[in-house]
Amino acid sequence: MRGSQVVAGQHGMPSLAEVDFDRTPFTVAWEITQACGLACVHCRASAQPRRHPRELSTTEGFALMDGIAEMGKPILVVTGGDPLMRGDVYDLIRYGDEKGLRVSLSPSATALLSRNNLQRAKDAGVMRLHLSLDGATPEIHDAFRQVRGSYDRTIQGLQSARDIGLSLQIGTTVTQRNISDLPSLARLIQGFGALMWNIFFLVPTGRGKEEDMVSPQQHEETFHWMYELSKEVPFDVRTTAAQHYRRVVIERTRAELGERGAIHQALSGAGYSLQDGLARPQQGVNDGKGFCFISHIGDVCPSGFLQLPAGNVREKPIAEIYRDAPLFRELRDPSLLKGRCGRCEYRRICGGSRARAYSLTGDYLAEEPCCIYEPRDEGQL
């Protein structure tokens, strides 16, 4: 497995042992706008055609990034909606880069996704581009995006990113609409030089619908397919909103290495996900635990899929909200997890999707609804 050989501390990142999730997130996602020209059926933001009048201003954005940098040097994902809908997006990227943040950009596949704009983003300091591709054919992808031609624009964007040397990751949201298309997608992705395939598992929030989710058994089967794929492809494979993939990786690696201690040695630093080129450890990262999300109007939430505001950066510093808000503190305490997650030996490195638990049960501490694993004991890894 390519990602299992990551050495902690490389690429200028601290080793996993040096990171304190209670004080510093690995990743901060900032939804700089909800405006977007697409109307995706699974959009967690329920993006709109026009910008909101209460969006954080450029000056407020600079102050926000000052606060993020003071917490450490997390990855800053500039997202939306479509962040290219804001004319100051390049100024925001440049400022974040100057503050020492590792800035990634997640735009939509519209006419704004031009080679010129991608070059401007790279010149401003973007370290990585994230583009979504939800089907290996126009029919599947455009049905997701509800805009004809979105597939072609995405392919053009991927080609442009490759041509200008912009580090690239591709994201796919797995639903009943495209789960059978994943092998074809994997073959297609190999042609773009992407460093990572980030596979999202649908959380029914925003425009996402519960009936589009894949079943718990389909989650499990897909995890095992992903594990096998990760050993064969030239890009890394990771998940979002599917923390229980880590358990599959651990158990499969344990079976292959034949020694429990060897697993922790092999996966230490990779955080129970595969290397993504930014040496971004993911061990234990979950909604509100090593991750936080800032909405277009400044609300600080555990993630984009768990949009429960714990405070607003117009009223409190982001560090104070992330570190001290009761919501975040509860989410970082695995002893509070309920049901099978609370009994599971993997609860510190997995913990299940808190967003999916909340979406389906109304309780962000409930057990992961899409995990089939039955805990063996109440110990911990």
Side-chain angles (χ1 to χ4, degrees):
M1 186 193 317
R2 298 176 66 233
S4 66
Q5 303 305 315
V6 179
V7 177
Q10 67 181 12
H11 301 285
M13 282 285 293
S15 70
L16 196 61
E18 295 174 309
V19 177
D20 182 357
F21 285 174
D22 286 332
R23 299 192 60 78
T24 304
F26 269 113
T27 303
V28 176
W30 177 21
E31 172 194 77
I32 66 173
T33 184
Q34 280 197 337
C36 183
L38 303 180
C40 306
V41 295
H42 60 293
C43 180
R44 57 103 196 132
S46 297
Q48 306 297 318
R50 293 183 176 83
R51 293 176 55 186
H52 195 286
R54 293 183 56 230
E55 283 177 0
L56 295 180
S57 68
T58 305
T59 301
E60 288 175 318
F62 290 164
L64 170 61
M65 288 185 281
D66 288 340
I68 294 171
E70 289 171 2
M71 289 196 291
K73 295 295 185 287
I75 293 168
L76 174 63
V77 180
V78 177
T79 185
D82 181 6
L84 297 182
M85 294 280 281
R86 282 189 61 149
D88 62 352
V89 62
Y90 308 105
D91 296 326
L92 295 171
I93 292 168
R94 186 172 292 106
Y95 190 86
D97 179 61
E98 291 171 353
K99 297 298 293 186
L101 302 174
R102 290 156 293 144
V103 184
S104 295
L105 180 69
S106 181
S108 299
T110 70
L112 294 173
L113 189 68
S114 65
R115 178 172 177 147
N116 180 63
N117 283 344
L118 291 178
Q119 185 67 58
R120 291 180 67 189
K122 182 183 179 185
D123 293 343
V126 162
M127 290 188 65
R128 175 165 296 181
L129 180 74
H130 174 102
L131 287 179
S132 294
L133 184 63
D134 293 307
T137 66
E139 291 76 17
I140 297 174
H141 178 86
D142 288 358
F144 262 77
R145 303 293 159 178
Q146 298 195 89
V147 173
R148 183 174 297 178
S150 175
Y151 175 87
D152 292 338
R153 283 198 171 114
T154 300
I155 297 300
Q156 291 168 6
L158 292 169
Q159 292 170 338
S160 294
R162 179 189 57 193
D163 292 345
I164 67 177
L166 188 56
S167 177
L168 178 66
Q169 74 179 46
I170 296 173
T172 298
T173 299
V174 178
T175 75
Q176 293 291 356
R177 298 167 181 259
N178 67 347
I179 188 169
S180 63
D181 194 48
L182 294 181
S184 297
L185 260 173
R187 289 190 292 272
L188 177 63
I189 288 170
Q190 292 189 50
F192 294 107
L195 295 179
M196 180 196 293
W197 189 15
N198 191 6
I199 302 178
F200 294 71
F201 284 76
L202 181 67
V203 175
T205 187
R207 284 197 287 262
K209 303 300 182 186
E210 184 175 347
E211 55 265 30
D212 282 339
M213 291 175 56
V214 298
S215 69
Q217 184 62 41
Q218 287 173 311
H219 275 76
E220 189 77 4
E221 292 168 357
T222 304
F223 293 161
H224 285 277
W225 173 80
M226 289 168 54
Y227 179 81
E228 293 295 335
L229 178 72
S230 72
K231 297 186 290 184
E232 303 169 358
V233 293
F235 50 82
D236 293 322
V237 181
R238 61 159 283 186
T239 60
T240 293
Q243 289 80 356
H244 40 318
Y245 175 58
R246 300 169 190 167
R247 183 255 309 160
V248 170
V249 172
I250 293 169
E251 294 195 332
R252 292 290 300 271
T253 308
R254 177 182 297 157
E256 292 170 4
L257 296 180
E259 187 175 331
R260 181 169 179 167
I263 284 238
H264 292 276
Q265 181 72 28
L267 295 179
S268 176
Y272 301 97
S273 66
L274 306 184
Q275 183 186 7
D276 66 4
L278 290 175
R280 177 169 50 189
Q282 295 292 318
Q283 185 179 17
V285 171
N286 207 320
D287 304 305
K289 182 184 178 186
F291 191 97
C292 71
F293 171 89
I294 300 102
S295 79
H296 59 296
I297 59 173
D299 287 333
V300 180
C301 306
S303 76
F305 299 108
L306 182 55
Q307 293 194 42
L308 294 177
N312 190 286
V313 297
R314 285 175 165 143
E315 300 169 357
K316 292 182 180 179
I318 185 172
E320 180 179 341
I321 299 170
Y322 176 81
R323 293 170 180 171
D324 300 332
L327 171 61
F328 277 83
R329 292 174 69 89
E330 288 184 356
L331 288 166
R332 292 195 293 266
D333 185 350
S335 71
L336 298 179
L337 295 175
K338 302 174 183 178
R340 286 176 296 132
C341 285
R343 301 191 305 273
C344 186
E345 64 269 32
Y346 294 98
R347 62 185 176 274
R348 288 191 177 275
I349 56 176
C350 170
S353 170
R354 299 298 93 218
R356 185 176 294 106
Y358 179 77
S359 179
L360 294 181
T361 73
D363 182 354
Y364 51 77
L365 297 174
E367 68 182 27
E368 162 65 69
C370 288
C371 180
I372 67 170
Y373 182 69
E374 290 296 335
R376 294 191 178 96
D377 55 53
E378 294 190 6
Q380 297 178 25
L381 294 179

